[in-house]
C-alpha cells in the first residue's frame, strides 16, 4: 500500500481503524527489515563458506609443502578452524525457517530467538572467529625457520627475520581486532534494534 493511499485511509478512519492501520504498517516494516536481514545473512554465509572451502584447500597444500613442524601444526589447526566456521554458520541458520503451523505470536517469538542467536554469534566473534586464526598465524610464522634453509614452494611468503615476523603479527592483530569490532557493531546496530522492534510488536499484540 503506497503512502498517499495510507494517508487517505487514515484521514477517513475511526480510532480503532487507525490503530489497525498503525499495526499493519509496523508489521509490514518489520517484515521488510527481517527479509533484508535474511538476504544479508545468506550472502554473508555463502561468502564465508566459499572462503572456508578455499582456505581448507590452501592450508592443506601449505601443510604438505612447508617443512617446519610448528608451521605444519598451524596449518592443520587452520583446516580444523575452517571446518568449524562452516559448521557454526550452518548451525545458526537452522532456526531461520519459520514454522507456518505456529500462531503469528509464536512465529514472532521464533524469529526473535533466531535473530538473538545471530546477534550473540556476531558479538562473540572475537573468541571463535578472530582469536583462533590470529593464534594459528602466530604459530605459522613464528614457528617457521629460515625459509632459505629449505627448498619449498611457499618459501617466498615466509618472513625470514624476527622484525618481519613481528610486523606481520602486529598487522594481523590489528586486522582481526577490526573484524571483531566490525561484527560486534553490526549486531548492535542492525540486529539488536530488530529484536527490540519484535518485542514491541509482541507487547502490542498482547494488549489486543
Amino acid at each position: 500500500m503506497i503512502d498517499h493511499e495510507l494517508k487517505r485511509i487514515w484521514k477517513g478512519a475511526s480510532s480503532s481503524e487507525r490503530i489497525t492501520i498503525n499495526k499493519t504498517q509496523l508489521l509490514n516494516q518489520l517484515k521488510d527489515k527481517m527479509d533484508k536481514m535474511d538476504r544479508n545473512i545468506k550472502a554473508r554465509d555463502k561468502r564465508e563458506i566459499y572462503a572456508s572451502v578455499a582456505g581448507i584447500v590452501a592450508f592443506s597444500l601449505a601443510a604438505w609443502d612447508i617443512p617446519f613442524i610448528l608451521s605444519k601444526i598451524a596449518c592443520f589447526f587452520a583446516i580444523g578452524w575452517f571446518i568449524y566456521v562452516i559448521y557454526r554458520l550452518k548451525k545458526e541458520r537452522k532456526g531461520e525457517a519459520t514454522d507456518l503451523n505456529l500462531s503469528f505470536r509464536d512465529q514472532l517469538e521464533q524469529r526473535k530467538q533466531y535473530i538473538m542467536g545471530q546477534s550473540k554469534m556476531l558479538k562473540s566473534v572475537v573468541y571463535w572467529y578472530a582469536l583462533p586464526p590470529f593464534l594459528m598465524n602466530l604459530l605459522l610464522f613464528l614457528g617457521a625457520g629460515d625459509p632459505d634453509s629449505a627448498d619449498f614452494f611457499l618459501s617466498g611468503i615466509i618472513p625470514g627475520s624476527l622484525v618481519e615476523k613481528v610486523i606481520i603479527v602486529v598487522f594481523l592483530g590489528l586486522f582481526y581486532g577490526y573484524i571483531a569490532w566490525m561484527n560486534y557493531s553490526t549486531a548492535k546496530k542492525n540486529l539488536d534494534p530488530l529484536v527490540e522492534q519484535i518485542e514491541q510488536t509482541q507487547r502490542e499484540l498482547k494488549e489486543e
Side-chain angles (χ1 to χ4, degrees):
M1 189 176 293
I2 57 177
D3 290 343
H4 72 271
E5 289 177 321
L6 280 172
K7 290 177 182 177
R8 178 177 56 81
I9 295 173
W10 174 269
K11 290 178 180 178
S14 63
S15 297
S16 61
E17 288 171 333
R18 288 182 180 182
I19 293 173
T20 301
I21 292 172
N22 266 336
K23 288 182 178 179
T24 300
Q25 285 182 298
L26 288 173
L27 291 175
N28 286 336
Q29 291 173 1
L30 182 59
K31 183 179 182 302
D32 289 341
K33 290 181 180 179
M34 288 192 294
D35 288 344
K36 181 180 179 181
M37 178 203 68
D38 286 337
R39 290 192 299 269
N40 290 338
I41 289 175
K42 286 178 181 178
R44 178 205 68 194
D45 288 358
K46 186 176 181 180
R47 181 175 62 250
E48 292 292 337
I49 289 172
Y50 283 161
S52 294
V53 171
I56 291 171
V57 174
F59 277 90
S60 296
L61 295 174
W64 174 79
D65 182 59
I66 295 176
F68 309 114
I69 298 300
L70 291 179
S71 297
K72 281 183 179 291
I73 293 173
C75 290
F76 287 121
F77 276 129
I79 293 169
W81 174 73
F82 282 122
I83 293 173
Y84 174 76
V85 169
I86 295 173
Y87 162 78
R88 182 70 185 269
L89 294 176
K90 287 184 173 293
K91 178 176 177 290
E92 293 298 335
R93 283 280 298 279
K94 284 184 177 180
E96 177 189 15
T98 304
D99 186 353
L100 299 179
N101 293 321
L102 298 175
S103 67
F104 180 67
R105 287 182 174 86
D106 289 339
Q107 288 182 37
L108 275 179
E109 180 63 25
Q110 188 180 49
R111 292 295 287 172
K112 184 181 79 172
Q113 293 300 322
Y114 168 69
I115 298 169
M116 288 173 65
Q118 288 286 334
S119 177
K120 183 179 179 181
M121 181 182 71
L122 293 184
K123 290 177 181 178
S124 63
V125 151
V126 65
Y127 302 110
W128 67 272
Y129 190 86
L131 188 59
F134 172 71
L135 294 176
M136 288 180 296
N137 279 291
L138 196 67
L139 182 61
L140 174 68
F141 291 111
L142 296 184
D146 184 1
D148 296 329
S149 64
D151 183 19
F152 59 103
F153 182 75
L154 296 176
S155 61
I157 67 171
I158 299 295
S161 69
L162 180 61
V163 173
E164 291 174 334
K165 293 179 179 181
V166 169
I167 291 174
I168 289 178
V169 168
V170 171
F171 170 77
L172 289 173
L174 294 173
F175 173 71
Y176 287 116
Y178 170 74
I179 288 178
W181 172 81
M182 182 180 64
N183 280 273
Y184 187 88
S185 298
T186 297
K188 294 288 289 184
K189 180 181 178 181
N190 298 330
L191 298 184
D192 288 354
L194 191 52
V195 170
E196 293 175 2
Q197 189 171 353
I198 291 176
E199 291 175 341
Q200 178 187 349
T201 303
Q202 288 176 317
R203 289 191 296 269
E204 292 180 356
L205 290 173
K206 287 181 180 178
E207 294 172 359
E208 290 185 342

